């Protein structure tokens, strides 16, 4: 796992597929996403390596149900006692009650997903990533980062959310937005509804943020709002 400090309060944990982020409020910690199945112990070790205590992670906020983001949530919660939060529309898939709906793949996306499934289970399979969780909804505000607002990012999945920390100028987009070498910031791939995903891209880009943290690819560490707005314009109007 690669560990990158983005800000004194913010670290990125990069898995072979997918990324998680650690936010620090003094002694209280929050994870945004939890990596793939088996990633819970690796995250706990990484947090310990930063000189922090995994048991100080109070919550794991999932941006959506896919295994490369939700797969390690239950394991991490069992290790630390953290509460897992998931949008109510994605919660049944995170709990393993139903399989996930398939993405509508464009031809160029097929090899990307074939490679990803070598590392994590297919989204259409049924997995109990976190049987015990707390459901949340669009526009809920969670008690970290000075008030973390959950912003609808539907389209990638029905319950995808962004997490916005307006007091700190930080935005976590999940897979609604991504970045790739040579392509810059772009719409996330593997969406269930592309039109909704484009609308969500515009919605997230309209927020004020200096740092944008993606589910895949390097974050934007400065003037993120301007970068996201310019990228969203390439996909037309919301």
């Amino acid at each position: 796992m690669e560990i990158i400090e983005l800000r004194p309060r913010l670290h990125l944990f990069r898995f072979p597929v997918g990324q998680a982020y650690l936010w620090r409020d003094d002694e209280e910690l929050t994870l945004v996403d939890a990596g793939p199945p088996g990633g819970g112990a690796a995250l706990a070790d990484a947090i310990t390596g930063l000189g922090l205590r995994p048991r100080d992670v109070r919550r794991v906020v999932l941006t959506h149900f896919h295994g490369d983001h939700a797969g390690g949530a239950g394991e991490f919660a069992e290790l630390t006692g953290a509460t897992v939060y998931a949008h109510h529309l994605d919660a049944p898939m995170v709990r393993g009650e139903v399989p996930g709906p398939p993405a509508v793949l464009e031809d160029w996306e097929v090899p990307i997903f074939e490679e990803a499934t070598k590392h994590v289970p297919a989204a259409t399979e049924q997995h109990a990533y976190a049987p015990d969780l707390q459901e949340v909804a669009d526009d809920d505000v969670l008690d970290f980062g000075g008030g973390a607002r959950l912003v609808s990012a539907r389209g990638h999945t029905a319950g995808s959310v962004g997490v916005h920390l307006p007091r700190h100028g930080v935005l976590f987009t999940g897979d609604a937005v991504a970045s790739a070498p040579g392509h810059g910031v772009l719409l996330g791939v593997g969406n269930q509804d592309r039109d909704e995903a484009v609308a969500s891209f515009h919605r997230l880009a309209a927020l004020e943020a200096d740092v944008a943290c993606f589910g895949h690819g390097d974050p934007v560490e400065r003037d993120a709002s301007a970068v996201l707005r310019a990228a969203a314009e390439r996909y037309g109007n919301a």
Side-chain angles (χ1 to χ4, degrees), residues 125-148:
E125 298 174 2
Q126 191 167 332
H127 299 276
Y129 295 134
D132 298 315
L133 59 81
Q134 184 167 328
E135 295 187 8
V136 291
D138 300 338
D139 297 319
D140 282 357
V141 177
L142 301 182
D143 188 21
F144 72 95

Side-chain angles (χ1 to χ4, degrees), residues 179-206:
S179 70
H183 299 278
V185 175
L186 68 162
L187 183 71
V189 302
N191 299 302
Q192 292 177 13
D193 187 315
R194 190 178 188 278
D195 289 343
E196 283 197 335
V198 169
S200 291
F201 194 162
H202 283 274
R203 186 180 306 112
L204 294 172

Side-chain angles (χ1 to χ4, degrees), residues 44-210:
D45 289 344
I47 291 167
T48 301
L50 292 172
L52 303 171
R53 299 183 300 182
R55 68 176 180 271
D56 289 335
V57 178
R58 299 288 189 263
R59 62 194 67 78
V60 180
V61 183
L62 300 178
T63 60
H64 61 293
F65 75 82
H66 289 160
D68 52 335
H69 298 267
E75 177 190 7
F76 186 85
E78 288 183 5
L79 290 171
T80 64
T83 300
V84 178
Y85 293 84
H87 191 280
H88 65 91
L89 293 177
D90 275 19
M93 283 71 81
V94 177
R95 286 193 293 256
E97 296 168 351
V98 296
V104 180
L105 299 178
E106 298 184 21
D107 289 344
W108 65 271
E109 295 177 311
V110 172
I112 296 174
F113 273 72
E114 289 177 345
E115 181 63 27
T117 54
K118 296 178 182 178
H119 299 276
V120 295
T124 52
E125 298 174 2
Q126 191 167 332
H127 299 276
Y129 295 134
D132 298 315
L133 59 81
Q134 184 167 328
E135 295 187 8
V136 291
D138 300 338
D139 297 319
D140 282 357
V141 177
L142 301 182
D143 188 21
F144 72 95
R149 178 173 168 247
L150 304 184
V151 182
S152 174
R154 63 184 181 272
H156 186 68
T157 68
S160 286
V161 292
V163 183
H164 186 213
L165 311 184
R167 284 187 58 184
H168 297 278
V170 175
L171 174 65
F172 304 92
T173 71
D175 282 2
V177 187
S179 70
H183 299 278
V185 175
L186 68 162
L187 183 71
V189 302
N191 299 302
Q192 292 177 13
D193 187 315
R194 190 178 188 278
D195 289 343
E196 283 197 335
V198 169
S200 291
F201 194 162
H202 283 274
R203 186 180 306 112
L204 294 172
L207 302 172
E208 293 302 321
D210 193 47

